[in-house]
Amino acid sequence: MRRDSPRARWRKRFSAGLASLALCFAGATACGNGESPSETPTPTSTTETVTETTEAPRETETTTETAAEQGNLPDLTGKSLQEAQDTAQANGFYVLTSDDATGRNRLQVLDRNWTVCSQTPAPGQHPTDVTVNFSVVRLGESCP
């Protein structure tokens, strides 16, 4: 059995890719209405009828912008990052970030391996769309 050289295999794959690209392009252009992109339809009449309708303003609960929903953010220091995130989400806070409290910019890949040293904002009532940031250290490290 004869094996193709790497260059020959590459050519076959490249040709197959070009063929499939050409078919995709042909299929995309076949669905058109026969006009080229540069052609624009021209109006057939010079008079147009415009009908205006006015609606009564909708009643809203408040006349100002709707206030963000409030939630109670508990004190999550000392908990694992995973537990802190789960608790914050259970209380309605979904915009969550975390950073390395030591300043070494380590990524928190496994949230269970990190302990929360501090949080921003502080515990209490806050709009649920606020960003909650946890400053964390690896398990076994002390908070700065």
Side-chain angles (χ1 to χ4, degrees):
M1 177 180 273
R2 182 177 163 248
R3 291 186 78 182
D4 291 335
S5 70
R7 180 175 251 171
R9 286 192 306 260
W10 182 85
R11 279 191 198 134
K12 285 181 184 178
R13 280 187 259 141
F14 183 74
S15 298
L18 281 178
S20 63
L21 182 62
L23 286 174
C24 287
F25 182 71
T29 57
C31 295
N33 59 4
E35 298 176 359
S36 69
S38 63
E39 296 176 5
T40 56
T42 56
T44 55
S45 72
T46 57
T47 60
E48 295 181 14
T49 304
V50 176
T51 305
E52 278 189 36
T53 59
T54 59
E55 293 182 19
R58 295 182 190 169
E59 288 295 320
T60 58
E61 293 178 13
T62 59
T63 56
T64 60
E65 207 173 289
T66 305
E69 186 177 330
Q70 295 283 313
N72 183 36
L73 183 64
D75 183 9
L76 300 169
T77 57
K79 299 189 181 297
S80 76
L81 177 57
Q82 184 65 60
E83 186 180 356
Q85 291 170 338
D86 293 344
T87 304
Q89 289 175 350
N91 286 299
F93 297 91
Y94 295 100
V95 185
L96 308 173
T97 61
S98 61
D99 62 71
D100 186 357
T102 64
R104 293 190 273 178
N105 296 326
R106 297 176 293 181
L107 298 177
Q108 295 78 52
V109 177
L110 296 174
D111 297 338
R112 296 186 194 296
N113 292 340
W114 295 82
T115 303
V116 176
C117 291
S118 65
Q119 69 187 54
T120 305
Q125 287 291 117
H126 301 283
T128 55
D129 60 353
V130 70
T131 299
V132 179
N133 184 59
F134 299 109
S135 291
V136 296
V137 293
R138 297 273 315 205
L139 286 178
E141 295 178 345
S142 59
C143 293

